[in-house]
Amino acid sequence: MTELLTSAQMRAIEQAAFNTGLASGMELMERAGAGVVAAIFERWPELEEGAREAVVLCGPGNNGGDGFVIARMLRERGWMVQVFLYGEADALRGDARENCGRWRELGPVSEFADWALAERKAPDLVVDALFGTGLTRPLPQELDQALADFEAGLPEGAVRFVAVDAPSGLCMDSGRVLVRPGSTVGRLPLRQALTISFHALKRGHVLADGPEWCGEVRVADIGLKERELRRAEPGLAQILKDLAVLAAPRPDLLAKGGEDLPRGHKYDYGHALVVSGGPGRTGAARLAARAALRVGAGLVTLAAPGTAITECAAQVTAIMLARCNGASDLGLLLEDERLNALCLGPGLGIGAGTRDMVVTALGSRRRCVLDADALTSFADHPPSLFAHLHSKVVLTPHMGEFARLFPDIADKLHVDPELGPVYSKVEAVQEAAARAGCLVLLKGPDTVIAEPGGRAVVSAASYGRAAPWLATAGSGDVLSGLVTGLLARGGWPIDAAVTGTWMHVEAGRRIGPGLIAEDLPEAIPAVLASLLS
């Protein structure tokens, strides 16, 4: 798993390095500049050939200090480099001031708006070193306008834009753009082709609008050894305790499906029950049931109303069928204690009947996934659902369903942020999980999974893991089935949710364009084989 740092956590790591003498500010700036230059040439090796031109935009703080280092290193490679500073050079402090002085031995520092005083050839590279992860306010009006004019003056697609740690204007705790009230310029003028993060990814690189504005993201090692720092600075461990992490597979959840499978009994791998809606509405539950079976549940039963049994029987083979005309029938089915994981919601219908079945399912204290209609049925009074939830439950809403259950929390995500750190999807899901008393999985390309205790995991389908084809009808039902199947196998909710989400994306990536939801369960065997090989 890969840790996602907040801006405050990154500052704490840097300060710990200073306090312990493991690195100085100048050393970190030098390493950061070298990391950016190396990443540029790795991304565009053709730039190492011939004379090239770069424009480096420096800000008034440490991000600008990194920019001066980058300018110097490019100049030492024979590049023509122009440096524009937002602010006054005499106002720079500390390491940024010293690196500005080192650059001035090689070339001038121009005022930011001077680029427009004469017609200029488009550079090969523009480096955004204005504001990094510490930005907490919208860009100033004059800078916002100057950047918009700057971009408009360049031929479209002719220039490579590179951000140092963060695209200026983006909150790196949330991935949301800091917006000045009444702005008419646009939210973020410079869309980057490449962003180089230092030491580790920040939350904003993968959450919300981050992937759209960052382009490709690479991480540069600047020599901060967290283990050594945590030993030397005991307080750092507490500061870093509440981390979001990028999801990674949990092959140990599936180990029983490997070499031991021929010696196992189907009931050793759990029995999942998926509850279906009536005639014409069984497709979603069938998708979930097939996914649960494909991910390794030993048995899967589809419980459908009597009027829908024939429809289901015509579509399923390995999945068993049971009649379930409501909460009373569900209660009878749950007398079989071998049914150890439940899935309610996909295609179930909205109303009192669904609410009653959900309450019955939750009363059994089984591991349970609630999705879609099982959530929307409680939109008029969410506390009546929360009163029955427990630690073995996983809620899997998309943003619309999330807003119905947690309207006040969702509202915080829909307000244009003016000051940072900005309330992020991570905080929203953590707050929702605490309120609900169970695990919450908020779906999206930046899926966030949180436990009531505060642990959060981000499963991002972006950059090299992007799978936009998953935005298709029924995809979420397959995800619910995957999580249910992993719960049936004995996984804890957090492990089942993280692993199921990872597998869902991997299946989508294997299928590619043209994907429909029915394809996803059929791609799971290949994903499993990759985990168990």
Side-chain angles (χ1 to χ4, degrees):
M1 289 190 175
T2 301
E3 294 180 340
L4 298 177
L5 298 177
T6 65
S7 300
Q9 287 165 337
M10 186 63 201
R11 286 194 298 273
I13 292 171
E14 291 174 334
Q15 189 60 51
F18 303 153
N19 294 345
T20 57
L22 293 177
S24 67
M26 284 294 289
E27 287 172 333
L28 291 187
M29 279 190 184
E30 196 74 11
R31 295 171 193 170
V36 170
V37 172
I40 289 170
F41 291 124
E42 288 172 5
R43 174 65 179 81
W44 296 292
E46 68 274 15
L47 291 181
E48 294 196 83
E49 301 174 3
R52 298 289 182 169
E53 295 186 18
V55 168
V56 181
L57 308 177
C58 294
N62 286 339
N63 203 245
D66 296 335
F68 291 121
V69 175
I70 294 163
R72 173 170 51 81
M73 290 183 171
L74 290 175
R75 181 64 176 270
E76 290 169 352
R77 286 174 173 256
W79 281 49
M80 295 288 293
V81 182
Q82 295 174 297
V83 174
F84 296 93
L85 174 64
Y86 177 72
E88 298 294 331
D90 291 342
L92 294 172
R93 295 288 180 267
D95 301 321
R97 184 185 184 92
E98 185 169 345
N99 275 314
C100 177
R102 293 184 68 185
W103 163 253
R104 277 179 153 171
E105 295 175 2
L106 301 174
V109 175
S110 302
E111 292 185 10
F112 191 82
D114 283 355
W115 73 271
L117 296 179
E119 290 191 11
R120 300 179 185 276
K121 177 185 173 183
D124 298 284
L125 185 73
V126 172
V127 177
D128 173 6
L130 288 162
F131 295 97
T133 57
L135 186 68
T136 60
R137 296 178 182 275
L139 298 181
Q141 172 80 30
E142 68 277 8
L143 177 58
D144 205 359
Q145 185 64 59
L147 284 171
D149 293 343
F150 177 79
E151 185 177 38
L154 297 173
E156 186 174 353
V159 179
R160 302 162 182 86
F161 287 93
V162 175
V164 178
D165 217 8
S168 294
L170 194 69
C171 171
M172 295 312 292
D173 287 330
S174 67
R176 301 173 68 192
V177 179
L178 291 158
V179 179
R180 186 179 59 259
S183 173
T184 59
V185 176
R187 293 193 169 188
L188 196 63
L190 299 182
R191 189 185 299 270
Q192 307 298 326
L194 176 66
T195 298
I196 297 94
S197 180
F198 302 132
H199 178 64
L201 288 174
K202 315 308 184 296
R203 287 183 181 181
H205 289 126
V206 299
L207 291 173
D209 303 320
E212 178 184 359
W213 295 109
C214 290
E216 180 183 342
V217 172
R218 300 192 180 197
V219 177
D221 182 3
I222 56 174
L224 295 173
K225 307 301 182 185
E226 273 193 47
R227 289 185 180 178
E228 295 178 22
L229 291 173
R230 292 187 197 200
R231 285 196 297 268
E233 291 271 300
L236 184 61
Q238 185 62 37
I239 294 171
L240 299 178
K241 183 178 180 181
D242 182 20
L243 287 174
V245 295
L246 281 173
R250 283 288 310 277
D252 56 298
L253 281 183
L254 305 162
K256 287 168 44 178
E259 296 178 358
D260 293 339
L261 183 57
R263 298 189 295 276
H265 187 276
K266 59 192 175 185
Y267 281 106
D268 292 338
Y269 307 105
H271 188 171
L273 179 71
V274 180
V275 183
S276 172
R281 298 202 309 268
T282 66
R286 286 188 279 110
L287 284 170
R290 190 163 183 83
L293 194 63
R294 279 293 192 192
V295 83
L299 303 91
V300 178
T301 292
L302 187 62
T307 53
I309 288 289
T310 301
E311 178 181 314
C312 291
Q315 299 288 338
V316 300
T317 303
I319 296 166
M320 299 184 293
L321 292 173
R323 188 183 307 273
C324 181
N325 287 320
S328 179
D329 284 353
L330 180 59
L332 292 174
L333 289 172
L334 294 178
E335 290 179 2
D336 183 349
E337 294 184 357
R338 294 174 298 182
L339 291 167
N340 66 334
L342 315 177
C343 178
L344 289 87
L348 194 53
I350 299 170
T354 293
R355 289 194 295 272
D356 290 343
M357 283 194 284
V358 168
V359 170
T360 298
L362 296 175
S364 73
R365 310 301 287 184
R366 305 294 214 287
R367 292 171 171 148
C368 186
V369 174
L370 298 182
D371 187 24
D373 295 345
L375 305 177
T376 300
S377 290
F378 290 88
D380 290 340
H381 193 242
S384 63
L385 171 63
F386 302 155
H388 296 278
L389 296 173
H390 53 80
S391 61
K392 297 178 184 178
V393 177
V394 179
L395 308 184
T396 61
H398 55 55
M399 184 55 77
E401 293 156 352
F402 184 87
R404 294 176 197 126
L405 289 183
F406 309 99
D408 57 322
I409 298 175
D411 284 347
K412 299 179 189 179
L413 290 174
H414 295 143
V415 175
D416 284 340
E418 298 176 22
L419 296 174
V422 175
Y423 188 79
S424 77
K425 194 172 179 179
V426 171
E427 283 81 32
V429 181
Q430 287 173 321
E431 188 174 347
R435 182 179 302 177
C438 69
L439 188 135
V440 177
L441 184 162
L442 179 51
K443 293 179 284 195
D446 56 346
T447 294
V448 177
I449 303 160
E451 293 180 297
R455 179 187 176 194
V457 175
V458 179
S459 183
S462 53
Y463 306 113
R465 291 198 76 233
W469 320 285
L470 288 172
T472 185
S475 174
D477 304 316
V478 173
L479 175 58
S480 294
L482 292 174
V483 177
T484 303
L486 292 168
L487 289 173
R489 293 185 64 96
W492 289 104
I494 184 68
D495 296 328
V498 169
T499 304
T501 302
W502 182 88
M503 295 178 69
H504 187 246
V505 173
E506 287 302 300
R509 293 179 64 222
R510 286 175 180 270
I511 297 164
L515 174 154
I516 59 175
E518 289 95 322
D519 299 329
L520 289 167
E522 311 318 304
I524 295 301
V527 175
L528 290 172
S530 71
L531 286 175
L532 298 171
S533 61

